[in-house]
Coordinates of all heavy atoms in Angstrom, one line a residue:
M1 N -4.9 -35.3 57.9 CA -5.6 -34.4 57.1 C -5.5 -33.0 57.7 O -5.5 -32.8 58.9 CB -7.1 -34.8 57.0 CG -7.8 -34.0 55.9 SD -9.6 -34.6 55.7 CE -9.4 -36.2 55.0
K2 N -5.3 -32.0 56.8 CA -5.1 -30.6 57.2 C -6.5 -30.1 57.8 O -7.5 -30.4 57.3 CB -4.7 -29.7 56.1 CG -3.3 -30.1 55.6 CD -2.9 -29.2 54.5 CE -1.5 -29.6 54.0 NZ -1.0 -28.7 52.9
P3 N -6.4 -29.2 58.8 CA -7.6 -28.7 59.4 C -8.6 -28.0 58.5 O -9.8 -28.2 58.5 CB -7.1 -27.7 60.5 CG -5.8 -28.1 60.8 CD -5.2 -28.8 59.5
M4 N -8.1 -27.2 57.5 CA -9.0 -26.5 56.6 C -9.7 -27.5 55.7 O -10.9 -27.3 55.3 CB -8.2 -25.5 55.7 CG -7.7 -24.3 56.5 SD -9.1 -23.4 57.2 CE -9.8 -22.6 55.8
K5 N -9.0 -28.6 55.3 CA -9.6 -29.6 54.4 C -10.7 -30.3 55.2 O -11.7 -30.6 54.7 CB -8.5 -30.5 53.9 CG -9.0 -31.4 52.8 CD -7.8 -32.2 52.2 CE -8.2 -32.9 51.0 NZ -7.1 -33.6 50.4
Q6 N -10.4 -30.6 56.5 CA -11.4 -31.2 57.3 C -12.7 -30.4 57.5 O -13.8 -30.8 57.4 CB -10.9 -31.5 58.7 CG -9.9 -32.6 58.7 CD -9.3 -32.8 60.1 OE1 -9.1 -31.9 60.9 NE2 -9.0 -34.1 60.5
I7 N -12.5 -29.1 57.6 CA -13.6 -28.1 57.8 C -14.4 -28.1 56.5 O -15.6 -28.2 56.5 CB -13.1 -26.7 58.1 CG1 -12.6 -26.7 59.6 CG2 -14.3 -25.7 58.0 CD1 -11.9 -25.5 60.0
A8 N -13.7 -28.0 55.3 CA -14.4 -28.0 54.0 C -15.2 -29.2 53.8 O -16.3 -29.2 53.3 CB -13.4 -27.8 52.9
L9 N -14.6 -30.4 54.1 CA -15.3 -31.7 53.9 C -16.5 -31.7 54.9 O -17.6 -32.2 54.5 CB -14.4 -32.8 54.2 CG -13.3 -33.1 53.1 CD1 -12.4 -34.2 53.5 CD2 -14.0 -33.5 51.8
G10 N -16.4 -31.3 56.1 CA -17.5 -31.3 57.0 C -18.6 -30.4 56.6 O -19.8 -30.8 56.7
L11 N -18.3 -29.2 56.0 CA -19.3 -28.3 55.5 C -20.0 -28.9 54.3 O -21.2 -28.8 54.2 CB -18.7 -26.9 55.2 CG -18.3 -26.1 56.4 CD1 -17.6 -24.8 55.9 CD2 -19.6 -25.7 57.2
A12 N -19.3 -29.5 53.4 CA -19.9 -30.1 52.3 C -20.8 -31.3 52.7 O -21.9 -31.4 52.1 CB -18.8 -30.7 51.3
A13 N -20.4 -32.1 53.6 CA -21.3 -33.2 54.1 C -22.5 -32.6 54.7 O -23.6 -33.1 54.5 CB -20.5 -34.1 55.0
A14 N -22.4 -31.6 55.5 CA -23.5 -31.0 56.2 C -24.5 -30.4 55.2 O -25.7 -30.5 55.4 CB -23.1 -29.9 57.2
T15 N -24.0 -29.7 54.2 CA -24.9 -29.2 53.1 C -25.6 -30.3 52.4 O -26.8 -30.1 52.2 CB -24.0 -28.4 52.1 OG1 -23.3 -27.3 52.8 CG2 -24.9 -27.8 51.0
L16 N -25.0 -31.3 52.1 CA -25.7 -32.5 51.4 C -26.7 -33.1 52.3 O -27.8 -33.5 51.9 CB -24.7 -33.5 51.0 CG -23.8 -33.1 49.8 CD1 -22.7 -34.2 49.6 CD2 -24.6 -32.9 48.6
A17 N -26.4 -33.2 53.6 CA -27.4 -33.8 54.5 C -28.6 -32.9 54.8 O -29.7 -33.4 55.0 CB -26.7 -34.1 55.9
V18 N -28.4 -31.6 54.7 CA -29.5 -30.7 55.0 C -30.3 -30.3 53.8 O -31.5 -30.1 53.9 CB -28.9 -29.4 55.7 CG1 -30.0 -28.3 55.8 CG2 -28.3 -29.7 57.0
S19 N -29.8 -30.3 52.6 CA -30.4 -29.9 51.4 C -31.8 -30.5 51.2 O -32.8 -29.7 50.9 CB -29.6 -30.1 50.2 OG -28.4 -29.3 50.3
P20 N -32.0 -31.8 51.2 CA -33.4 -32.3 51.0 C -34.4 -31.8 52.0 O -35.6 -31.6 51.6 CB -33.2 -33.8 51.1 CG -31.8 -34.1 50.9 CD -31.1 -32.8 51.4
A21 N -34.0 -31.5 53.2 CA -35.0 -31.0 54.2 C -35.4 -29.6 53.9 O -36.5 -29.2 54.4 CB -34.3 -31.1 55.6
L22 N -34.7 -28.9 53.1 CA -35.0 -27.5 52.7 C -35.9 -27.5 51.5 O -36.3 -26.4 51.1 CB -33.7 -26.7 52.5 CG -32.9 -26.6 53.8 CD1 -31.6 -25.8 53.4 CD2 -33.6 -25.9 54.9
A23 N -36.1 -28.6 50.8 CA -36.9 -28.6 49.6 C -38.4 -28.5 50.0 O -38.8 -29.0 51.1 CB -36.6 -29.8 48.8
L24 N -39.2 -28.1 49.1 CA -40.7 -28.1 49.2 C -41.1 -29.6 49.1 O -40.6 -30.3 48.2 CB -41.3 -27.3 48.0 CG -42.8 -27.6 47.7 CD1 -43.6 -27.0 48.9 CD2 -43.2 -27.0 46.4
T25 N -41.9 -30.1 49.9 CA -42.4 -31.5 49.9 C -43.9 -31.5 49.6 O -44.6 -30.6 50.2 CB -42.1 -32.3 51.1 OG1 -42.7 -31.7 52.3 CG2 -40.6 -32.4 51.3
I26 N -44.4 -32.4 48.8 CA -45.8 -32.6 48.6 C -46.1 -34.1 48.8 O -45.5 -34.9 48.2 CB -46.2 -32.1 47.2 CG1 -45.8 -30.7 47.0 CG2 -47.7 -32.3 46.9 CD1 -46.1 -30.2 45.6
N27 N -47.1 -34.3 49.6 CA -47.5 -35.7 49.9 C -48.9 -35.9 49.3 O -49.9 -35.2 49.7 CB -47.5 -35.9 51.4 CG -47.8 -37.3 51.8 OD1 -48.2 -38.2 51.0 ND2 -47.6 -37.6 53.1
N28 N -49.1 -36.9 48.4 CA -50.4 -37.2 47.9 C -51.1 -38.1 48.7 O -50.9 -39.3 48.8 CB -50.2 -37.7 46.4 CG -51.5 -37.9 45.8 OD1 -52.6 -37.6 46.3 ND2 -51.5 -38.5 44.6
R29 N -52.1 -37.6 49.5 CA -52.9 -38.5 50.4 C -54.2 -39.0 49.7 O -55.0 -39.6 50.3 CB -53.2 -37.7 51.6 CG -52.0 -37.4 52.4 CD -52.3 -36.9 53.8 NE -51.1 -36.5 54.5 CZ -51.1 -35.8 55.6 NH1 -52.2 -35.3 56.1 NH2 -50.0 -35.5 56.2
D30 N -54.4 -38.6 48.4 CA -55.5 -39.1 47.6 C -55.2 -40.5 47.1 O -54.1 -41.0 47.1 CB -55.8 -38.2 46.4 CG -56.7 -37.0 46.7 OD1 -57.2 -37.0 47.9 OD2 -56.9 -36.2 45.8
S31 N -56.3 -41.2 46.7 CA -56.2 -42.5 46.1 C -55.9 -42.4 44.6 O -55.7 -43.5 44.0 CB -57.4 -43.3 46.4 OG -58.5 -42.7 45.8
A32 N -55.8 -41.2 44.0 CA -55.6 -41.1 42.6 C -54.3 -40.4 42.3 O -53.8 -39.6 43.2 CB -56.8 -40.2 42.0
R33 N -53.8 -40.6 41.1 CA -52.5 -39.9 40.7 C -52.9 -38.5 40.3 O -54.0 -38.2 39.8 CB -52.0 -40.6 39.5 CG -50.8 -40.0 38.8 CD -50.3 -40.8 37.6 NE -49.8 -42.1 38.0 CZ -48.6 -42.3 38.5 NH1 -47.7 -41.4 38.6 NH2 -48.2 -43.5 38.8
H34 N -52.0 -37.5 40.6 CA -52.2 -36.1 40.2 C -51.0 -35.6 39.5 O -49.9 -36.1 39.7 CB -52.5 -35.3 41.4 CG -53.8 -35.5 42.1 ND1 -55.0 -35.0 41.6 CD2 -54.1 -36.2 43.2 CE1 -56.0 -35.4 42.4 NE2 -55.4 -36.1 43.4
T35 N -51.2 -34.6 38.6 CA -50.1 -33.9 38.0 C -49.9 -32.6 38.7 O -50.9 -31.8 38.8 CB -50.3 -33.7 36.5 OG1 -50.5 -35.0 35.9 CG2 -49.2 -32.9 35.9
V36 N -48.7 -32.3 39.2 CA -48.5 -31.1 40.0 C -47.7 -30.2 39.1 O -46.7 -30.6 38.4 CB -47.7 -31.4 41.3 CG1 -47.4 -30.1 42.0 CG2 -48.4 -32.4 42.1
Q37 N -48.1 -28.9 39.0 CA -47.4 -27.9 38.2 C -46.6 -27.0 39.1 O -47.2 -26.5 40.1 CB -48.4 -27.2 37.3 CG -49.1 -28.1 36.3 CD -50.2 -27.3 35.6 OE1 -50.9 -26.4 36.1 NE2 -50.5 -27.8 34.4
F38 N -45.4 -26.7 38.7 CA -44.6 -25.7 39.4 C -44.2 -24.6 38.5 O -43.6 -24.8 37.4 CB -43.3 -26.4 39.9 CG -43.5 -27.6 40.8 CD1 -43.6 -28.9 40.3 CD2 -43.6 -27.4 42.2 CE1 -43.8 -29.9 41.1 CE2 -43.8 -28.5 43.0 CZ -43.9 -29.7 42.5
S39 N -44.6 -23.4 38.9 CA -44.2 -22.2 38.1 C -43.1 -21.4 38.8 O -43.3 -21.0 40.0 CB -45.4 -21.3 37.9 OG -46.4 -21.9 37.1
K40 N -42.0 -21.3 38.2 CA -40.8 -20.6 38.8 C -40.4 -19.5 37.8 O -39.8 -19.8 36.8 CB -39.7 -21.6 39.0 CG -40.0 -22.7 39.9 CD -38.9 -23.7 39.9 CE -39.2 -25.0 40.7 NZ -38.2 -26.0 40.7
G41 N -40.8 -18.3 38.0 CA -40.5 -17.2 37.1 C -41.2 -17.5 35.8 O -42.4 -17.7 35.7
N42 N -40.5 -17.6 34.7 CA -41.0 -17.8 33.4 C -41.2 -19.3 33.0 O -41.8 -19.6 32.0 CB -40.1 -17.2 32.3 CG -39.8 -15.8 32.5 OD1 -40.2 -15.2 33.5 ND2 -39.1 -15.2 31.5
R43 N -40.7 -20.1 33.9 CA -40.7 -21.6 33.6 C -41.8 -22.3 34.4 O -42.0 -22.0 35.5 CB -39.3 -22.2 34.0 CG -38.2 -21.6 33.2 CD -36.8 -22.2 33.5 NE -36.7 -22.4 34.9 CZ -36.0 -23.5 35.4 NH1 -35.5 -24.4 34.6 NH2 -35.9 -23.6 36.7
T44 N -42.4 -23.3 33.7 CA -43.4 -24.1 34.4 C -42.9 -25.6 34.1 O -42.5 -26.0 33.0 CB -44.8 -23.9 33.8 OG1 -45.1 -22.6 34.0 CG2 -45.8 -24.8 34.5
A45 N -43.0 -26.4 35.2 CA -42.6 -27.8 35.1 C -43.8 -28.6 35.7 O -44.5 -28.1 36.5 CB -41.3 -28.1 35.8
E46 N -43.9 -29.8 35.2 CA -44.9 -30.7 35.7 C -44.3 -32.0 36.2 O -43.3 -32.5 35.6 CB -45.9 -31.1 34.6 CG -46.8 -30.0 34.2 CD -47.9 -30.4 33.2 OE1 -47.9 -31.6 32.7 OE2 -48.8 -29.6 33.0
R47 N -44.9 -32.5 37.3 CA -44.4 -33.8 37.8 C -45.6 -34.6 38.2 O -46.6 -34.1 38.7 CB -43.5 -33.6 39.1 CG -42.3 -32.8 38.7 CD -41.1 -33.0 39.5 NE -40.8 -34.2 40.2 CZ -40.1 -34.3 41.3 NH1 -39.6 -33.2 41.8 NH2 -39.9 -35.4 41.9
S48 N -45.6 -35.9 37.9 CA -46.6 -36.8 38.2 C -46.5 -37.3 39.6 O -45.3 -37.6 40.1 CB -46.6 -38.0 37.2 OG -47.6 -38.9 37.5
L49 N -47.6 -37.3 40.4 CA -47.5 -37.7 41.8 C -48.5 -38.8 42.0 O -49.7 -38.6 42.0 CB -47.9 -36.5 42.6 CG -47.8 -36.6 44.1 CD1 -46.4 -37.0 44.6 CD2 -48.2 -35.3 44.8
A50 N -48.0 -40.1 42.2 CA -48.8 -41.2 42.4 C -49.5 -41.2 43.8 O -49.1 -40.5 44.7 CB -48.0 -42.5 42.3
A51 N -50.6 -41.9 43.9 CA -51.3 -42.0 45.2 C -50.3 -42.5 46.3 O -49.6 -43.4 46.1 CB -52.5 -43.0 45.1
G52 N -50.3 -41.7 47.4 CA -49.4 -42.1 48.5 C -48.0 -41.7 48.3 O -47.2 -41.8 49.2
E53 N -47.6 -41.1 47.2 CA -46.2 -40.7 46.9 C -45.9 -39.3 47.6 O -46.7 -38.5 47.7 CB -46.0 -40.6 45.4 CG -44.6 -40.4 45.1 CD -44.3 -40.4 43.5 OE1 -45.3 -40.4 42.8 OE2 -43.2 -40.3 43.2
L54 N -44.6 -39.2 47.9 CA -44.1 -37.9 48.4 C -43.1 -37.5 47.4 O -42.2 -38.2 47.0 CB -43.4 -38.2 49.8 CG -42.7 -37.0 50.4 CD1 -43.8 -36.0 51.0 CD2 -41.8 -37.4 51.5
L55 N -43.1 -36.2 47.0 CA -42.1 -35.7 46.1 C -41.5 -34.4 46.8 O -42.1 -33.8 47.6 CB -42.6 -35.4 44.7 CG -43.6 -34.3 44.4 CD1 -42.8 -32.9 44.3 CD2 -44.3 -34.5 43.1
E56 N -40.3 -34.1 46.3 CA -39.5 -32.9 46.7 C -39.2 -32.1 45.5 O -38.9 -32.7 44.5 CB -38.2 -33.3 47.5 CG -38.5 -34.0 48.8 CD -37.1 -34.4 49.5 OE1 -36.1 -34.4 48.8 OE2 -37.2 -34.6 50.7
E57 N -39.3 -30.8 45.6 CA -39.0 -29.9 44.5 C -38.3 -28.7 45.1 O -38.8 -28.1 46.1 CB -40.3 -29.5 43.8 CG -40.1 -28.6 42.7 CD -39.6 -29.2 41.4 OE1 -39.7 -30.5 41.3 OE2 -39.0 -28.5 40.6
A58 N -37.3 -28.3 44.5 CA -36.6 -27.1 44.9 C -37.3 -25.8 44.5 O -37.7 -25.7 43.4 CB -35.2 -27.0 44.4
C59 N -37.6 -25.0 45.5 CA -38.3 -23.7 45.2 C -37.5 -22.6 46.0 O -38.1 -21.9 46.8 CB -39.7 -23.7 45.7 SG -40.8 -24.7 44.7
V60 N -36.3 -22.5 45.7 CA -35.3 -21.6 46.4 C -35.9 -20.2 46.4 O -35.9 -19.5 47.4 CB -33.9 -21.7 45.7 CG1 -33.0 -20.7 46.4 CG2 -33.4 -23.1 45.8
K61 N -36.3 -19.7 45.3 CA -36.8 -18.3 45.2 C -38.3 -18.2 45.3 O -38.9 -17.2 45.0 CB -36.3 -17.6 43.9 CG -34.8 -17.5 43.9 CD -34.4 -16.8 42.6 CE -32.9 -16.6 42.6 NZ -32.4 -16.0 41.4
G62 N -38.9 -19.4 45.6 CA -40.4 -19.4 45.7 C -40.9 -19.9 44.4 O -40.3 -19.8 43.3
C63 N -42.1 -20.5 44.4 CA -42.8 -21.0 43.2 C -44.3 -21.1 43.5 O -44.7 -21.1 44.6 CB -42.2 -22.3 42.8 SG -42.4 -23.7 44.0
V64 N -45.0 -21.1 42.4 CA -46.5 -21.3 42.5 C -46.7 -22.8 42.2 O -46.3 -23.3 41.1 CB -47.2 -20.4 41.5 CG1 -48.7 -20.6 41.5 CG2 -46.9 -18.9 41.8
V65 N -47.5 -23.4 43.0 CA -47.8 -24.8 42.9 C -49.3 -25.0 42.7 O -50.1 -24.3 43.4 CB -47.4 -25.6 44.1 CG1 -47.7 -27.1 44.0 CG2 -45.9 -25.4 44.5
R66 N -49.7 -25.8 41.7 CA -51.1 -26.1 41.5 C -51.2 -27.5 40.9 O -50.3 -28.1 40.4 CB -51.8 -25.1 40.6 CG -51.3 -25.1 39.1 CD -52.1 -24.2 38.2 NE -52.5 -23.0 38.8 CZ -52.3 -21.8 38.3 NH1 -51.7 -21.7 37.2 NH2 -52.6 -20.7 39.0
L67 N -52.4 -28.1 41.1 CA -52.7 -29.3 40.5 C -53.2 -29.0 39.1 O -54.0 -28.1 38.8 CB -53.8 -30.1 41.2 CG -53.4 -30.5 42.7 CD1 -54.6 -31.3 43.3 CD2 -52.2 -31.4 42.6
A68 N -52.8 -29.8 38.1 CA -53.3 -29.7 36.7 C -54.8 -29.7 36.7 O -55.4 -30.5 37.3 CB -52.7 -30.8 35.8
G69 N -55.4 -28.8 35.9 CA -56.8 -28.8 35.8 C -57.5 -28.0 36.9 O -58.7 -27.9 36.9
S70 N -56.7 -27.4 37.8 CA -57.3 -26.6 38.9 C -56.8 -25.2 38.8 O -55.7 -24.9 38.4 CB -56.9 -27.2 40.2 OG -57.3 -26.4 41.3
D71 N -57.7 -24.3 39.2 CA -57.3 -22.9 39.2 C -56.7 -22.5 40.6 O -56.1 -21.5 40.7 CB -58.6 -22.0 39.0 CG -59.0 -22.0 37.5 OD1 -58.2 -22.3 36.6 OD2 -60.2 -21.9 37.3
A72 N -57.0 -23.3 41.6 CA -56.4 -23.1 42.9 C -54.9 -23.2 42.9 O -54.4 -24.1 42.3 CB -57.0 -24.0 43.9
K73 N -54.2 -22.3 43.5 CA -52.8 -22.3 43.5 C -52.3 -22.0 44.9 O -53.0 -21.5 45.8 CB -52.2 -21.3 42.5 CG -52.6 -19.9 42.8 CD -52.0 -19.0 41.7 CE -52.5 -17.6 41.9 NZ -52.1 -16.7 40.9
F74 N -51.0 -22.4 45.1 CA -50.4 -22.2 46.4 C -49.0 -21.5 46.2 O -48.2 -22.1 45.4 CB -50.2 -23.5 47.2 CG -49.7 -23.4 48.6 CD1 -50.6 -23.2 49.6 CD2 -48.4 -23.4 48.9 CE1 -50.2 -23.0 50.9 CE2 -47.9 -23.2 50.2 CZ -48.8 -23.0 51.2
N75 N -48.7 -20.4 46.8 CA -47.4 -19.8 46.7 C -46.5 -20.5 47.7 O -46.7 -20.4 48.9 CB -47.5 -18.3 47.0 CG -48.2 -17.5 45.9 OD1 -48.0 -17.8 44.7 ND2 -49.2 -16.7 46.3
A76 N -45.5 -21.2 47.3 CA -44.7 -22.0 48.1 C -43.2 -21.6 48.1 O -42.8 -20.9 47.2 CB -44.8 -23.5 47.7
K77 N -42.5 -22.1 49.1 CA -41.1 -21.9 49.2 C -40.4 -23.1 49.7 O -41.1 -24.0 50.3 CB -40.8 -20.7 50.0 CG -41.2 -20.8 51.5 CD -41.0 -19.5 52.2 CE -41.4 -19.6 53.7 NZ -42.7 -20.1 54.0
D78 N -39.1 -23.2 49.6 CA -38.4 -24.3 50.2 C -38.8 -24.4 51.7 O -39.1 -23.4 52.4 CB -36.9 -24.2 50.1 CG -36.4 -24.6 48.7 OD1 -37.2 -25.1 47.9 OD2 -35.2 -24.3 48.4
S79 N -38.9 -25.6 52.2 CA -39.2 -26.0 53.6 C -40.7 -26.0 53.8 O -41.2 -26.4 54.9 CB -38.6 -25.1 54.6 OG -39.2 -23.8 54.7
D80 N -41.6 -25.6 52.8 CA -43.0 -25.8 53.0 C -43.3 -27.3 52.8 O -42.7 -28.0 52.0 CB -43.8 -25.0 51.9 CG -43.9 -23.5 52.3 OD1 -43.8 -23.2 53.5 OD2 -44.2 -22.7 51.4
A81 N -44.4 -27.7 53.5 CA -44.9 -29.1 53.3 C -46.3 -28.9 52.9 O -47.1 -28.3 53.6 CB -44.8 -29.8 54.6
L82 N -46.7 -29.5 51.8 CA -48.0 -29.4 51.2 C -48.6 -30.9 51.1 O -47.8 -31.8 51.1 CB -48.0 -28.8 49.8 CG -47.4 -27.4 49.7 CD1 -47.4 -27.0 48.2 CD2 -48.0 -26.4 50.6
I83 N -49.9 -31.0 51.1 CA -50.6 -32.2 50.9 C -51.6 -32.1 49.8 O -52.2 -31.0 49.6 CB -51.2 -32.8 52.2 CG1 -52.2 -31.8 52.8 CG2 -50.1 -33.1 53.3 CD1 -53.1 -32.4 53.9
V84 N -51.9 -33.2 49.2 CA -53.0 -33.3 48.2 C -54.0 -34.2 48.9 O -53.7 -35.3 49.3 CB -52.5 -33.9 46.9 CG1 -53.7 -34.0 45.9 CG2 -51.5 -33.0 46.2
K85 N -55.2 -33.6 49.1 CA -56.3 -34.3 49.7 C -57.6 -33.9 49.1 O -57.8 -32.7 49.0 CB -56.2 -34.0 51.2 CG -57.1 -34.8 52.1 CD -56.8 -34.7 53.6 CE -57.5 -33.5 54.1 NZ -57.3 -33.3 55.6
G86 N -58.4 -34.8 48.8 CA -59.7 -34.4 48.2 C -59.6 -33.7 46.9 O -60.4 -32.8 46.6
G87 N -58.5 -33.9 46.1 CA -58.3 -33.3 44.9 C -57.9 -31.8 45.0 O -57.8 -31.1 44.0
K88 N -57.5 -31.4 46.2 CA -57.0 -30.1 46.4 C -55.6 -30.1 47.1 O -55.3 -31.0 47.8 CB -58.0 -29.3 47.3 CG -59.3 -29.1 46.7 CD -60.2 -28.4 47.6 CE -61.6 -28.3 47.0 NZ -62.6 -27.6 47.9
I89 N -54.9 -29.0 46.9 CA -53.6 -28.9 47.5 C -53.6 -27.9 48.6 O -54.3 -26.9 48.5 CB -52.5 -28.5 46.4 CG1 -51.1 -28.7 46.9 CG2 -52.7 -27.1 45.9 CD1 -50.1 -28.8 45.8
E90 N -53.0 -28.2 49.7 CA -53.1 -27.3 50.9 C -51.8 -27.5 51.7 O -51.1 -28.5 51.6 CB -54.3 -27.7 51.8 CG -54.4 -29.1 52.3 CD -55.7 -29.4 52.9 OE1 -56.8 -29.2 52.3 OE2 -55.7 -29.9 54.0
K91 N -51.6 -26.6 52.6 CA -50.5 -26.6 53.5 C -50.7 -27.7 54.6 O -51.8 -27.8 55.1 CB -50.2 -25.3 54.2 CG -48.9 -25.1 54.8 CD -48.6 -23.7 55.1 CE -47.2 -23.5 55.5 NZ -46.8 -22.1 55.7
A92 N -49.7 -28.5 54.8 CA -49.8 -29.5 55.9 C -49.9 -28.9 57.2 O -49.3 -27.9 57.5 CB -48.5 -30.5 55.8
A93 N -50.6 -29.5 58.1 CA -50.8 -29.0 59.5 C -49.5 -29.0 60.2 O -48.7 -29.9 60.0 CB -51.8 -29.9 60.2
G94 N -49.3 -27.9 60.9 CA -48.0 -27.8 61.7 C -46.8 -27.3 60.9 O -45.7 -27.2 61.4
K95 N -47.0 -26.9 59.6 CA -45.9 -26.4 58.8 C -46.1 -25.0 58.5 O -47.1 -24.5 58.2 CB -45.7 -27.2 57.6 CG -45.0 -28.5 57.8 CD -43.6 -28.2 58.1 CE -42.7 -29.4 58.1 NZ -41.3 -29.0 58.2

């Protein structure tokens, strides 16, 4: 294999391996399911988060995260780790 092709393949593999770690993660530590809302510019998306579930969401340019039905919000970015606990969303300790 040619050296440039090896480098390109290596970079592609490294990018794929690192990408999930750069996403925003939310861990639901509650015993109830929650709906999480993500606002990115003009767009808002919702994802259901079961009790004990961990989800990842890309927030490359940042996003606002809130639980449905709550006025509390969190300005998040990729690599942030959030938790849902006691019906509230907060930054995970050590992140």
Side-chain angles (χ1 to χ4, degrees):
M1 192 178 288
K2 294 181 181 181
M4 287 303 285
K5 194 171 188 178
Q6 287 176 326
I7 292 171
L9 287 173
L11 287 173
T15 300
L16 290 173
V18 172
S19 293
L22 297 178
L24 164 71
T25 59
I26 303 176
N27 187 348
N28 185 1
R29 294 188 182 166
D30 272 355
S31 59
R33 175 179 298 276
H34 291 281
T35 299
V36 182
Q37 300 173 327
F38 300 91
S39 297
K40 302 173 187 178
N42 306 4
R43 298 181 318 143
T44 299
E46 290 188 351
R47 297 208 26 209
S48 181
L49 185 60
E53 184 179 8
L54 176 75
L55 72 78
E56 293 181 342
E57 180 74 21
C59 285
V60 178
K61 294 182 180 179
C63 59
V64 177
V65 181
R66 69 172 38 127
L67 295 180
S70 171
D71 291 331
K73 61 184 178 183
F74 188 88
N75 293 315
K77 62 186 182 307
D78 280 351
S79 78
D80 278 342
L82 306 178
I83 59 170
V84 176
K85 187 168 85 175
K88 297 179 182 178
I89 195 160
E90 59 190 52
K91 196 165 188 174
K95 281 290 196 172

